[in-house]
mmCIF file of all heavy atoms in Angstrom:
data_model
loop_
_atom_site.group_PDB
_atom_site.id
_atom_site.type_symbol
_atom_site.label_atom_id
_atom_site.label_comp_id
_atom_site.label_asym_id
_atom_site.label_seq_id
_atom_site.Cartn_x
_atom_site.Cartn_y
_atom_site.Cartn_z
ATOM 1 N N ASP G 735 -1.632 31.240 -32.478
ATOM 2 C CA ASP G 735 -2.122 32.503 -32.065
ATOM 3 C C ASP G 735 -1.899 32.824 -30.586
ATOM 4 O O ASP G 735 -1.893 31.895 -29.759
ATOM 5 C CB ASP G 735 -3.591 32.666 -32.375
ATOM 6 C CG ASP G 735 -3.918 32.526 -33.809
ATOM 7 O OD1 ASP G 735 -3.174 33.262 -34.621
ATOM 8 O OD2 ASP G 735 -4.790 31.748 -34.215
ATOM 9 N N SER G 736 -1.750 34.089 -30.305
ATOM 10 C CA SER G 736 -1.484 34.386 -28.891
ATOM 11 C C SER G 736 -2.673 34.253 -28.065
ATOM 12 O O SER G 736 -3.859 34.336 -28.508
ATOM 13 C CB SER G 736 -1.091 35.930 -28.871
ATOM 14 O OG SER G 736 -0.930 36.333 -27.492
ATOM 15 N N ILE G 737 -2.467 33.866 -26.755
ATOM 16 C CA ILE G 737 -3.583 33.596 -25.832
ATOM 17 C C ILE G 737 -3.670 34.873 -24.893
ATOM 18 O O ILE G 737 -2.697 35.213 -24.231
ATOM 19 C CB ILE G 737 -3.271 32.326 -25.015
ATOM 20 C CG1 ILE G 737 -3.158 31.094 -25.906
ATOM 21 C CG2 ILE G 737 -4.348 32.070 -23.879
ATOM 22 C CD1 ILE G 737 -2.658 29.952 -25.208
ATOM 23 N N SER G 738 -4.781 35.409 -24.878
ATOM 24 C CA SER G 738 -5.034 36.555 -24.077
ATOM 25 C C SER G 738 -6.363 36.553 -23.329
ATOM 26 O O SER G 738 -7.317 36.196 -23.984
ATOM 27 C CB SER G 738 -4.983 37.880 -25.013
ATOM 28 O OG SER G 738 -5.324 38.937 -24.196
ATOM 29 N N ASP G 739 -6.359 36.841 -22.073
ATOM 30 C CA ASP G 739 -7.601 36.862 -21.316
ATOM 31 C C ASP G 739 -8.065 38.293 -21.054
ATOM 32 O O ASP G 739 -8.906 38.492 -20.057
ATOM 33 C CB ASP G 739 -7.389 36.124 -19.942
ATOM 34 C CG ASP G 739 -7.275 34.597 -20.194
ATOM 35 O OD1 ASP G 739 -7.669 34.127 -21.252
ATOM 36 O OD2 ASP G 739 -6.868 33.881 -19.264
ATOM 37 N N HIS G 740 -7.577 39.279 -21.709
ATOM 38 C CA HIS G 740 -7.942 40.665 -21.422
ATOM 39 C C HIS G 740 -9.048 41.110 -22.372
ATOM 40 O O HIS G 740 -9.002 40.871 -23.522
ATOM 41 C CB HIS G 740 -6.705 41.481 -21.535
ATOM 42 C CG HIS G 740 -5.543 41.161 -20.599
ATOM 43 N ND1 HIS G 740 -5.601 41.293 -19.291
ATOM 44 C CD2 HIS G 740 -4.424 40.548 -20.856
ATOM 45 C CE1 HIS G 740 -4.503 40.866 -18.729
ATOM 46 N NE2 HIS G 740 -3.727 40.401 -19.694
ATOM 47 N N ALA G 741 -9.958 41.911 -21.801
ATOM 48 C CA ALA G 741 -11.060 42.367 -22.697
ATOM 49 C C ALA G 741 -10.541 43.585 -23.532
ATOM 50 O O ALA G 741 -11.198 43.846 -24.555
ATOM 51 C CB ALA G 741 -12.177 42.822 -21.772
ATOM 52 N N SER G 742 -9.444 44.168 -23.139
ATOM 53 C CA SER G 742 -8.933 45.287 -23.981
ATOM 54 C C SER G 742 -7.489 45.046 -24.207
ATOM 55 O O SER G 742 -6.776 44.494 -23.379
ATOM 56 C CB SER G 742 -9.172 46.599 -23.305
ATOM 57 O OG SER G 742 -8.555 46.631 -22.030
ATOM 58 N N VAL G 743 -6.947 45.525 -25.347
ATOM 59 C CA VAL G 743 -5.564 45.293 -25.651
ATOM 60 C C VAL G 743 -4.979 46.652 -25.985
ATOM 61 O O VAL G 743 -5.501 47.435 -26.785
ATOM 62 C CB VAL G 743 -5.425 44.403 -26.872
ATOM 63 C CG1 VAL G 743 -4.040 44.147 -27.282
ATOM 64 C CG2 VAL G 743 -6.171 43.063 -26.600
ATOM 65 N N THR G 744 -3.820 46.961 -25.436
ATOM 66 C CA THR G 744 -3.069 48.196 -25.643
ATOM 67 C C THR G 744 -2.537 48.181 -27.089
ATOM 68 O O THR G 744 -2.419 47.136 -27.742
ATOM 69 C CB THR G 744 -1.902 48.376 -24.677
ATOM 70 O OG1 THR G 744 -0.981 47.382 -24.912
ATOM 71 C CG2 THR G 744 -2.490 48.285 -23.270
ATOM 72 N N ASP G 745 -2.129 49.345 -27.566
ATOM 73 C CA ASP G 745 -1.584 49.419 -28.879
ATOM 74 C C ASP G 745 -0.334 48.601 -29.043
ATOM 75 O O ASP G 745 -0.052 47.927 -30.054
ATOM 76 C CB ASP G 745 -1.193 50.908 -29.224
ATOM 77 C CG ASP G 745 -2.446 51.730 -29.328
ATOM 78 O OD1 ASP G 745 -3.520 51.138 -29.560
ATOM 79 O OD2 ASP G 745 -2.335 53.017 -29.206
ATOM 80 N N GLU G 746 0.531 48.573 -27.996
ATOM 81 C CA GLU G 746 1.742 47.793 -28.041
ATOM 82 C C GLU G 746 1.422 46.280 -28.101
ATOM 83 O O GLU G 746 1.989 45.602 -28.861
ATOM 84 C CB GLU G 746 2.649 48.018 -26.815
ATOM 85 C CG GLU G 746 3.901 47.254 -26.832
ATOM 86 C CD GLU G 746 4.738 47.547 -25.614
ATOM 87 O OE1 GLU G 746 4.314 48.364 -24.733
ATOM 88 O OE2 GLU G 746 5.806 46.959 -25.443
ATOM 89 N N GLN G 747 0.403 45.880 -27.354
ATOM 90 C CA GLN G 747 -0.002 44.516 -27.342
ATOM 91 C C GLN G 747 -0.589 44.110 -28.700
ATOM 92 O O GLN G 747 -0.344 43.019 -29.219
ATOM 93 C CB GLN G 747 -1.028 44.124 -26.236
ATOM 94 C CG GLN G 747 -0.450 44.177 -24.834
ATOM 95 C CD GLN G 747 -1.549 44.094 -23.786
ATOM 96 O OE1 GLN G 747 -2.504 44.756 -23.932
ATOM 97 N NE2 GLN G 747 -1.293 43.240 -22.872
ATOM 98 N N ALA G 748 -1.393 45.026 -29.250
ATOM 99 C CA ALA G 748 -1.967 44.737 -30.519
ATOM 100 C C ALA G 748 -0.879 44.514 -31.622
ATOM 101 O O ALA G 748 -0.978 43.692 -32.482
ATOM 102 C CB ALA G 748 -2.852 45.880 -30.954
ATOM 103 N N GLU G 749 0.168 45.456 -31.550
ATOM 104 C CA GLU G 749 1.260 45.272 -32.492
ATOM 105 C C GLU G 749 1.914 43.906 -32.347
ATOM 106 O O GLU G 749 2.243 43.202 -33.351
ATOM 107 C CB GLU G 749 2.262 46.394 -32.261
ATOM 108 C CG GLU G 749 3.392 46.346 -33.325
ATOM 109 C CD GLU G 749 4.300 47.557 -33.127
ATOM 110 O OE1 GLU G 749 4.021 48.438 -32.341
ATOM 111 O OE2 GLU G 749 5.378 47.579 -33.759
ATOM 112 N N LEU G 750 2.180 43.464 -31.126
ATOM 113 C CA LEU G 750 2.718 42.153 -30.896
ATOM 114 C C LEU G 750 1.881 41.072 -31.372
ATOM 115 O O LEU G 750 2.356 40.088 -31.948
ATOM 116 C CB LEU G 750 3.009 41.965 -29.358
ATOM 117 C CG LEU G 750 4.119 42.786 -28.761
ATOM 118 C CD1 LEU G 750 4.127 42.611 -27.261
ATOM 119 C CD2 LEU G 750 5.484 42.493 -29.367
ATOM 120 N N HIS G 751 0.585 41.167 -31.232
ATOM 121 C CA HIS G 751 -0.340 40.128 -31.726
ATOM 122 C C HIS G 751 -0.346 40.076 -33.170
ATOM 123 O O HIS G 751 -0.474 39.005 -33.773
ATOM 124 C CB HIS G 751 -1.798 40.451 -31.130
ATOM 125 C CG HIS G 751 -1.932 39.966 -29.747
ATOM 126 N ND1 HIS G 751 -1.797 38.637 -29.365
ATOM 127 C CD2 HIS G 751 -2.363 40.616 -28.676
ATOM 128 C CE1 HIS G 751 -2.024 38.549 -28.067
ATOM 129 N NE2 HIS G 751 -2.395 39.737 -27.602
ATOM 130 N N GLU G 752 -0.214 41.273 -33.858
ATOM 131 C CA GLU G 752 -0.222 41.296 -35.323
ATOM 132 C C GLU G 752 1.042 40.511 -35.810
ATOM 133 O O GLU G 752 0.958 39.763 -36.785
ATOM 134 C CB GLU G 752 -0.177 42.704 -35.837
ATOM 135 C CG GLU G 752 -1.573 43.468 -35.627
ATOM 136 C CD GLU G 752 -1.460 44.892 -36.025
ATOM 137 O OE1 GLU G 752 -0.379 45.327 -36.446
ATOM 138 O OE2 GLU G 752 -2.522 45.619 -35.888
#
Side-chain angles (χ1 to χ4, degrees):
D735 296 312
S736 176
I737 300 171
S738 173
D739 286 343
H740 300 288
S742 60
V743 181
T744 64
D745 292 340
E746 181 180 358
Q747 287 173 315
E749 183 178 350
L750 289 175
H751 281 302
E752 288 174 2

